[in-house]
Amino acid sequence: MMEEVSDLSERYWKRLKKITIIWMLAWTFPAILLHIPVEFMRRIYFNGIPMHWFNAAFLAIVIGIALIFLYAYVMDRTDRELLGR
Amino acid sequence: MEFGGKNAIIAFLMIYFAIVAGVALTGNTFTASAIAVFGSLFIYVIVALLMRTQATKDFYVAGRSIGSLPIGSSIASNWMSGASFVSMAGAIAVLGYDSMPYIIGWTLGYCIAAFMIAPFIRKSNTYTVPEFVETRASNWSIARVIAVVMLFIVSFTYLVAQLVATGVIIGRFLGMPAVVGAFLGSAIVILFAGTGGWRSVVWVQVTQYWILITAYWIAFLTAAYIAGIFKPWPHFGYGDLLNQLEANEIAHGLNAFTEPFTKAFGGGTGQINWIFSAICLMLGTVGLPHVLSQFYLVRNVRTARYGVGWGLTFIALLYLTAPVYAILARYAFSSAWGMPIDQVKQLGWVQKWLPTGLIHITDLNKDGILQPVELSFHKDIVVVGMPDMFGLPWFFATIVAIGGLAAALSTANGLLMVMTVGATRDIYKRFINPNVSERREIWVGRVMLVVLAVISGLAGARALQDPTFSKYVALLVGWAFVFATASFTPVIILGIFWKGLNRYGIVAGMVAGMGIALPYVLGVGLFGLEPITIFGGKIGTLAWGIIAFFANLIVSVIVSLATNAEKANPPETIQFVEELKTPE
């Protein structure tokens, strides 16, 4: 019984670690990577707005929100799959 | 929240609107404004009274019962200060693209919170951040003391800033002395927090969030409609307006608004500084005690995950709007450039705000024509003066005032609560009287609350009268993020994810982080030393936080490894970390 519990915790933690790493890597996109090619983005316009500005003022945050909800959803599925709830 | 409570709040709101509208219709606009502003304060007090409680669990962690939508709005109003509401759009109007680290830095930190901190903090079942740190450092009381001291320094300066904002808003709109406004603010906050601790504070914050965001959006949407940027929606329909603004700027020999890296941010320049500053603000956000403590209040780990998502969504409603606000205001300014100065002084908003000192017009070259450099403005004018710039009716200004007050007070009561819990649970119960009865503990909490509120009210009054003191408060508020990044954030993240971190590593890391951060911040930020240059860009005080963050991480790891890492942790500490990771 004890064995089973610790084994389950082990598996759960492995999965959680993997998900955390993937999501933190994904976070670098809106937080860092998106803002590096400024010179390139300046030449692209969205509805008349220069893209480098729009990335920082709008897109990055929307992507961030999507990432959090996606994470919560994936963790829900993980809980159901591994813990049967 | 009981069903009856909700209905009572809605009923009060109805009565409130009816009274305000009734007075407004009689044509007495000043009385109507005053009733509207004080009425909003009255509503918050009612909510706090409905939520009053005697149980310590309610007082400290709102009974760990808050759902994800309410905690989301509470996180948002707790986070967004008077400055976010009143000054941020103005800062963007001044700095253009170079101000964007504020926008991404003060939002995307919540991603880190959601993936690496919030669920685990909730799972820890501790009551306070210092308690979490102490437990993780194998019940080493020194770690808790350091954490409490940090918590007090950061929260206190922040609270003073909120009370100053409250004083300024009340002073501006109701013609009272700002000092009276600051004391009024601290008195009101005592009522919010003293009635039911976190339980009443959370529900007051929820009410305040919806009031502040409605106020921000009403003024914004109306101005956007008049400016014609519903193409198809203001947040991505301002392209033509922006192009016109930039054409105006270039015609007057200025840099275009979205031209990157032309101005300093946090004392640094260039792209590396821009990116580092943004990341420092993100890491700092999740290390701030009043942000962390809200993750304790939710029902369970799952609610914590979704709650942070809603929190960022609700923050974004304001943070995505501020840049557009900035462009609208700057466009209004730019259309005055090149006009004869006598004509500019006839503009309605200039007439109204010139006497307050929020805008200055000086004819430097004596040609009678307004140049961009001859019109200077205080950053608060962007949000506060927007209704007048677009010729909106009088009550828009009142709506903005109510929203600004809600933003300042909601942050203030969160901060006061964090300090009260720190003083009661982390100092009184931990070190002075561990066997205190529950009833008495709450009363000790209330006494602490009043003492803290009075001290911060006095400090707020001092800041309003003494520009030097006020400058130091503003500097400290800005540095709070650097210090949180350098001290708390690495310890909390590492403490959750690495069993090997031990008490020596924790303290050595904190000391190293602060040791790297403090001299640089003081030297560059206060004594005017020349910042370090990397790849042709200056590294400002905020960006330096990243260096301190990594110094803390590296030193924590090295010292932990040198002191037998995991083996130095007693079994109960290992157990504590294990439990953070096991599912509920």
Side-chain angles (χ1 to χ4, degrees):
Chain A
M1 183 67 209
M2 217 41 222
E3 289 284 298
E4 260 173 56
V5 169
S6 70
D7 181 49
L8 182 67
S9 297
E10 202 64 35
R11 270 195 310 168
Y12 189 85
W13 175 236
K14 264 210 177 90
R15 179 76 69 90
L16 179 56
K17 233 186 334 201
K18 198 174 101 185
I19 291 171
T20 307
I21 290 169
I22 292 172
W23 254 263
M24 281 309 291
L25 284 175
W27 163 86
T28 60
F29 177 72
I32 306 167
L33 302 176
L34 189 61
H35 311 289
I36 291 175
V38 167
E39 286 306 318
F40 170 74
M41 291 287 181
R42 278 180 73 185
R43 293 191 198 96
I44 306 172
Y45 287 84
F46 169 78
N47 206 6
I49 304 166
M51 207 61 206
H52 72 300
W53 163 270
F54 195 67
N55 282 341
F58 194 90
L59 264 189
I61 302 167
V62 172
I63 293 170
I65 294 170
L67 281 176
I68 299 181
F69 279 117
L70 201 60
Y71 171 84
Y73 170 74
V74 167
M75 286 306 295
D76 273 359
R77 259 190 17 192
T78 309
D79 285 354
R80 262 204 303 278
E81 184 189 334
L82 289 178
L83 314 169
R85 304 181 239 144
Chain B
M1 173 99 115
E2 298 78 23
F3 188 66
K6 262 192 192 138
N7 284 352
I9 291 173
I10 291 168
F12 270 109
L13 281 172
M14 291 290 178
I15 296 167
Y16 163 74
F17 286 130
I19 293 175
V20 174
V23 176
L25 286 174
T26 62
N28 195 335
T29 57
F30 180 78
T31 315
S33 294
I35 292 177
V37 171
F38 288 116
S40 73
L41 301 180
F42 183 69
I43 287 175
Y44 308 145
V45 173
I46 296 282
V47 174
L49 285 172
L50 285 171
M51 290 292 129
R52 69 188 178 276
T53 179
Q54 290 294 351
T56 47
K57 197 175 174 194
D58 286 343
F59 198 87
Y60 285 136
V61 287
R64 298 199 207 276
S65 65
I66 310 292
S68 62
L69 270 167
I71 200 68
S73 24
S74 162
I75 284 174
S77 64
N78 186 57
W79 171 237
M80 294 193 286
S81 59
S84 286
F85 190 98
V86 178
S87 319
M88 199 172 63
I92 299 169
V94 175
L95 291 172
Y97 182 78
D98 294 338
S99 67
M100 284 293 117
Y102 286 138
I103 297 291
I104 57 173
W106 280 338
T107 49
L108 291 175
Y110 284 92
C111 291
I112 307 173
F115 311 151
M116 300 185 84
I117 296 174
F120 304 97
I121 288 265
R122 175 62 189 82
K123 187 71 178 47
S124 76
N125 270 330
T126 48
Y127 275 87
T128 66
V129 179
E131 187 185 343
F132 180 91
V133 173
E134 182 186 33
T135 316
R136 186 60 189 80
S138 357
N139 299 332
W140 198 17
S141 51
I142 293 178
R144 190 164 184 160
V145 173
I146 295 174
V148 172
V149 169
M150 271 292 301
L151 180 150
F152 266 91
I153 293 173
V154 172
S155 305
F156 184 77
T157 44
Y158 242 75
L159 178 56
V160 172
Q162 299 316 310
L163 293 176
V164 168
T166 308
V168 169
I169 293 167
I170 290 183
R172 233 177 244 160
F173 282 89
L174 301 172
M176 289 175 156
V179 175
V180 176
F183 277 113
L184 188 75
S186 71
I188 293 271
V189 176
I190 292 174
L191 279 175
F192 295 158
T195 44
W198 265 119
R199 183 163 180 250
S200 54
V201 165
V202 163
W203 289 105
V204 170
Q205 283 178 334
V206 171
T207 318
Q208 284 166 330
Y209 173 75
W210 292 106
I211 296 234
L212 81 90
I213 205 68
T214 308
Y216 207 77
W217 274 67
I218 286 179
F220 166 72
L221 288 178
T222 317
Y225 178 76
I226 294 171
I229 57 171
F230 272 85
K231 306 172 185 176
W233 182 253
H235 291 83
F236 36 84
Y238 54 84
D240 296 345
L241 195 80
L242 179 61
N243 293 336
Q244 225 172 325
L245 161 66
E246 297 197 314
N248 282 353
E249 287 173 316
I250 290 162
H252 283 91
L254 301 175
N255 285 316
F257 188 66
T258 60
E259 173 87 29
F261 318 128
T262 55
K263 302 180 186 75
F265 183 88
T269 53
Q271 186 168 20
I272 291 188
N273 179 69
W274 191 100
I275 288 175
F276 275 22
S277 301
I279 302 169
C280 175
L281 291 175
M282 294 174 206
L283 292 169
T285 301
V286 296
L288 287 174
H290 70 284
V291 173
L292 287 168
S293 53
Q294 290 206 297
F295 305 143
Y296 286 113
L297 317 178
V298 290
R299 262 185 223 131
N300 54 34
V301 171
R302 184 168 179 266
T303 317
R305 291 178 201 137
Y306 281 98
V308 178
W310 285 116
L312 184 53
T313 307
F314 294 149
I315 291 168
L317 287 181
L318 192 144
Y319 272 61
L320 296 181
T321 308
V324 192
Y325 236 123
I327 288 172
L328 283 172
R330 201 164 166 90
Y331 178 77
F333 292 138
S334 80
S335 54
W337 299 337
M339 272 191 196
I341 287 190
D342 299 338
Q343 203 182 323
V344 173
K345 287 186 174 167
Q346 296 309 308
L347 294 170
W349 59 272
V350 177
Q351 270 182 342
K352 177 168 175 184
W353 294 103
L354 209 52
T356 63
L358 285 184
I359 35 181
H360 290 285
I361 294 181
T362 33
D363 193 0
L364 296 169
N365 57 1
K366 304 279 184 282
D367 65 349
I369 304 284
L370 185 75
Q371 308 299 332
V373 74
E374 296 171 341
L375 169 71
S376 60
F377 57 94
H378 186 283
K379 55 188 186 315
D380 291 3
I381 188 75
V382 167
V383 171
V384 175
M386 177 71 66
D388 303 309
M389 284 178 211
F390 285 85
L392 306 181
W394 63 272
F395 53 84
F396 280 93
T398 311
I399 291 172
V400 169
I402 293 170
L405 268 184
L409 290 174
S410 60
T411 305
N413 59 30
L415 291 162
L416 191 60
M417 205 53 232
V418 173
M419 286 200 282
T420 303
V421 174
T424 314
R425 192 159 182 108
D426 293 320
I427 296 172
Y428 183 80
K429 192 180 163 84
R430 171 71 182 78
F431 295 108
I432 300 169
N433 183 2
N435 305 321
V436 62
S437 72
E438 195 163 301
R439 262 196 88 92
R440 180 146 175 216
E441 202 179 335
I442 298 266
W443 276 108
V444 170
R446 287 184 175 140
V447 172
M448 296 269 190
L449 190 92
V450 173
V451 171
L452 288 165
V454 169
I455 295 173
S456 44
L458 288 168
R462 171 84 196 275
L464 281 164
Q465 291 158 324
D466 178 354
T468 325
F469 185 75
S470 164
K471 189 187 95 177
Y472 287 124
V473 170
L475 276 176
L476 265 174
V477 167
W479 295 343
F481 290 90
V482 184
F483 297 150
T485 305
S487 61
F488 267 136
T489 312
V491 167
I492 286 169
I493 291 177
L494 211 54
I496 291 167
F497 282 85
W498 187 46
K499 263 184 283 191
L501 181 74
N502 60 34
R503 54 160 73 173
Y504 311 108
I506 290 176
V507 173
M510 277 190 174
V511 170
M514 288 304 281
I516 297 275
L518 203 57
Y520 193 86
V521 167
L522 289 177
V524 174
L526 202 57
F527 303 121
L529 298 180
E530 195 53 33
I532 292 171
T533 302
I534 300 179
F535 299 120
K538 289 178 182 166
I539 296 297
T541 45
L542 275 173
W544 185 257
I546 299 300
I547 312 284
F549 175 82
F550 282 109
N552 182 334
L553 269 189
I554 292 163
V555 170
S556 306
V557 171
I558 290 175
V559 172
S560 293
L561 288 174
T563 50
N564 294 336
E566 209 174 315
K567 295 190 192 70
N569 283 328
E572 55 268 28
T573 306
I574 298 288
Q575 177 73 19
F576 177 73
V577 183
E578 288 287 350
E579 291 210 338
L580 295 180
K581 299 166 180 179
T582 47
E584 282 183 307

